[in-house]
Amino acid sequence: ISCFPTVSEDMIYASGHRAEWIYALDRMTGDSIWAYPAGSNYVSSFAVKGDKFFVQLSDQGLVCLQKNTGEVLWEYGSESNQTVPLVDDKYVYFTSELSDIIVALTHDGEEVWKYVSESPIDDFESFLSAGDTIFLKSRGYLVALDQDTGNEYWRSKLENDNSLLGNYNMLSWAPDILVVHEWQGDWEGPFMMQGWDKRTGEMQWSKALNNGSEVGATAFGKYLVNVNDGILQFRRSSIGELVQEITGENFCNWSRVIVVDSMILVSKRTEIAILTSEASNSDELPFQWRILGNPVNAKITLEISTETPKDIDYRVIGAGGEFTAVSGRLFASETSLV
């Protein structure tokens, strides 16, 4: 299996390296609901939005299926990258490594704009949608594009323009920074984690990682969590400073760190480790917290558990990654905010 299974409501979608089929399975029973010919040596993963299922196949281009039946709704292009389709509330984005383009399409398959890259586009998770901006990482540049027009907000030259194997070169999002995870050069080269200002395209910090750190960082509040040569690390996303390490656990370098509510899930060699902020003895890391009534509507109630009362600044961020006007301070004497 070379792709991450995708879960949507009652369905699980799965395939694999050089697999013949993409399968839609019943989430509770594992029974096959429908299957679609993979038609490709590589299937990276899938995206689901509304009632539509999207997959990019290197031999077929971008294919849109009805997620519950597998019926083909539309197709675009004849070849594409080995990439996870990027889908946001407005568009789905098609990429091709042969022509080094990114195309924005409506969810019904209508072309909106096309952007031609000046350098080869990485294969895997090299696109990110946040607010009204699309971030694109090629093998030479980091680019911010207008979501509706494809025009450049800014373009910055990367230090290394020969990074190989796109699935080790990815972007991840934190509230105050854009994180670039890049393999420098060939199989023996080092890994770099870099923080970039999302508004200006200026690099804020750069940290070298061990050769065994092959998965990008995941945001955990204002911190980044990553596995570096079997060690779980916490960094301040704004400056890249290492805050805490959890050693001696043999975390798996190839595992994706997943953040769910206030918990961190990461695999070890033979088991799954689940951590919360209480696993830290550092006051710098977030308190244990939960939102009462999730999902929320107009009112947000936040419950925080800590032995030492402390005023906490908060900001509400939209689902698309944009900052909202809702911010303030939760005082130690209070237990909830509205």
Side-chain angles (χ1 to χ4, degrees), residues 138-186:
S138 69
R139 294 187 183 178
Y141 294 92
L142 188 64
V143 182
L145 304 175
D146 184 294
Q147 179 191 40
D148 293 317
T149 65
N151 295 331
E152 290 185 2
Y153 285 128
W154 51 258
R155 176 160 50 112
S156 298
K157 186 75 171 63
L158 294 171
E159 294 179 355
N160 178 49
D161 58 5
N162 191 35
S163 57
L164 301 179
L165 291 182
N167 56 328
Y168 297 129
N169 298 278
M170 60 188 70
L171 299 177
S172 52
W173 182 90
D176 52 4
I177 210 78
L178 180 68
V179 184
V180 176
H181 191 77
E182 187 170 23
W183 197 355
Q184 305 284 305
D186 55 25

Side-chain angles (χ1 to χ4, degrees), residues 3-290:
C3 64
F4 300 108
T6 298
V7 179
S8 177
E9 296 179 334
D10 295 330
M11 306 280 279
I12 294 178
Y13 306 93
S15 189
H17 180 59
R18 298 185 179 177
E20 295 184 13
W21 300 93
I22 298 168
Y23 292 101
L25 308 174
D26 185 284
R27 178 179 174 185
M28 302 305 296
T29 66
D31 293 338
S32 178
I33 305 301
W34 57 258
Y36 181 81
S40 173
N41 283 339
Y42 300 95
V43 180
S44 293
S45 198
F46 325 104
V48 177
K49 192 72 174 179
D51 62 350
K52 294 182 173 64
F53 170 91
F54 301 93
V55 61
Q56 282 200 188
L57 302 173
S58 59
D59 301 333
Q60 297 182 42
L62 177 64
V63 182
C64 176
L65 309 175
Q66 208 288 332
K67 75 171 188 177
N68 292 325
T69 66
E71 174 191 359
V72 178
L73 300 178
W74 54 265
E75 301 176 59
Y76 183 90
S78 58
E79 47 74 30
S80 65
N81 281 20
Q82 307 159 21
T83 187
V84 180
L86 175 63
V87 184
D88 57 29
D89 289 337
K90 289 185 176 181
Y91 309 117
V92 54
Y93 304 89
F94 165 84
T95 59
S96 169
E97 60 184 332
L98 295 184
S99 52
D100 295 322
I101 62 170
I102 176 171
V103 182
L105 306 160
T106 67
H107 294 178
D108 293 324
E110 297 177 2
E111 186 175 313
V112 180
W113 54 259
K114 181 183 296 185
Y115 175 84
V116 180
S117 173
E118 291 192 8
S119 59
I121 297 174
D122 284 323
D123 297 339
F124 195 51
E125 296 183 31
S126 51
F127 309 96
L128 188 64
S129 176
D132 61 355
T133 306
I134 302 299
F135 297 98
L136 163 67
K137 179 192 176 299
S138 69
R139 294 187 183 178
Y141 294 92
L142 188 64
V143 182
L145 304 175
D146 184 294
Q147 179 191 40
D148 293 317
T149 65
N151 295 331
E152 290 185 2
Y153 285 128
W154 51 258
R155 176 160 50 112
S156 298
K157 186 75 171 63
L158 294 171
E159 294 179 355
N160 178 49
D161 58 5
N162 191 35
S163 57
L164 301 179
L165 291 182
N167 56 328
Y168 297 129
N169 298 278
M170 60 188 70
L171 299 177
S172 52
W173 182 90
D176 52 4
I177 210 78
L178 180 68
V179 184
V180 176
H181 191 77
E182 187 170 23
W183 197 355
Q184 305 284 305
D186 55 25
W187 291 93
E188 302 299 327
F191 290 85
M192 300 294 295
M193 184 190 300
Q194 299 171 339
W196 293 74
D197 190 304
K198 292 182 286 191
R199 298 165 299 176
T200 65
E202 297 179 356
M203 188 172 68
Q204 304 298 302
W205 52 264
S206 179
K207 303 294 180 181
L209 304 177
N210 294 330
N211 286 13
S213 177
E214 300 177 359
V215 177
T218 300
F220 180 54
K222 60 182 178 181
Y223 298 89
L224 298 172
V225 188
N226 68 288
V227 178
N228 186 9
D229 202 17
I231 300 172
L232 192 67
Q233 296 182 329
F234 294 80
R235 298 178 181 272
R236 293 184 190 275
S237 58
S238 57
I239 57 177
E241 172 195 3
L242 185 63
V243 175
Q244 183 186 1
E245 291 184 322
I246 298 179
T247 61
E249 295 291 336
N250 197 23
F251 292 104
C252 184
N253 293 320
W254 303 281
S255 69
R256 176 62 50 87
V257 178
I258 299 173
V259 174
V260 181
D261 295 329
S262 60
M263 297 186 298
I264 298 171
L265 286 72
V266 58
S267 66
K268 294 156 68 170
R269 293 294 177 178
T270 58
E271 59 186 350
I272 299 294
I274 301 177
L275 304 95
T276 71
S277 56
E278 289 185 336
S280 166
N281 56 13
S282 169
D283 289 338
E284 296 298 325
L285 291 180
F287 298 111
Q288 185 177 15
W289 59 274
R290 63 174 178 164

